[in-house]
Amino acid sequence: AFIGAFDAATRCGDAAAVADGVAAICADARDAGVAVGGVVGGDTPAEAEANILKHMRLGMRCIATPVLASDFALKGALFVAAPFHAAAAAFARES
């Protein structure tokens, strides 16, 4: 299952309610053995890493960072993927 939290937040206008809903969906899915995913990021690499790690802890397993293909040439693939890899390493250390 894929959670479109950004779309939901822009439609309902209540980001806190959407965040709580995402957490509930992830917990229910984890308990049911269903993998959920979504696009997770942040305004800075550190914020993106923290958000990705938070969602991994919630049970999200299919995570994409919000990077457009055009960003790869500008920022470099390794740079834009660094927060994901850092969060994955932190999650692995916790497990």
Side-chain angles (χ1 to χ4, degrees):
F2 181 83
I3 301 169
F6 180 75
D7 289 340
T10 57
R11 288 190 175 105
C12 82
D14 186 354
V18 172
D20 292 343
V22 169
I25 289 170
C26 287
D28 290 347
R30 180 186 57 232
D31 294 345
V34 175
V36 294
V39 176
V40 181
D43 292 335
T44 67
E47 186 178 297
E49 178 183 341
N51 286 336
I52 292 166
L53 183 55
K54 171 185 168 186
H55 284 80
M56 287 177 163
R57 289 175 178 149
L58 289 172
M60 192 175 278
R61 294 295 179 263
C62 306
I63 297 176
T65 56
V67 178
L68 301 174
S70 60
D71 291 342
F72 289 124
L74 177 64
K75 298 181 180 179
L78 293 176
F79 174 78
V80 297
F84 172 80
H85 291 289
F91 187 76
R93 288 190 298 272
E94 292 176 2
S95 299

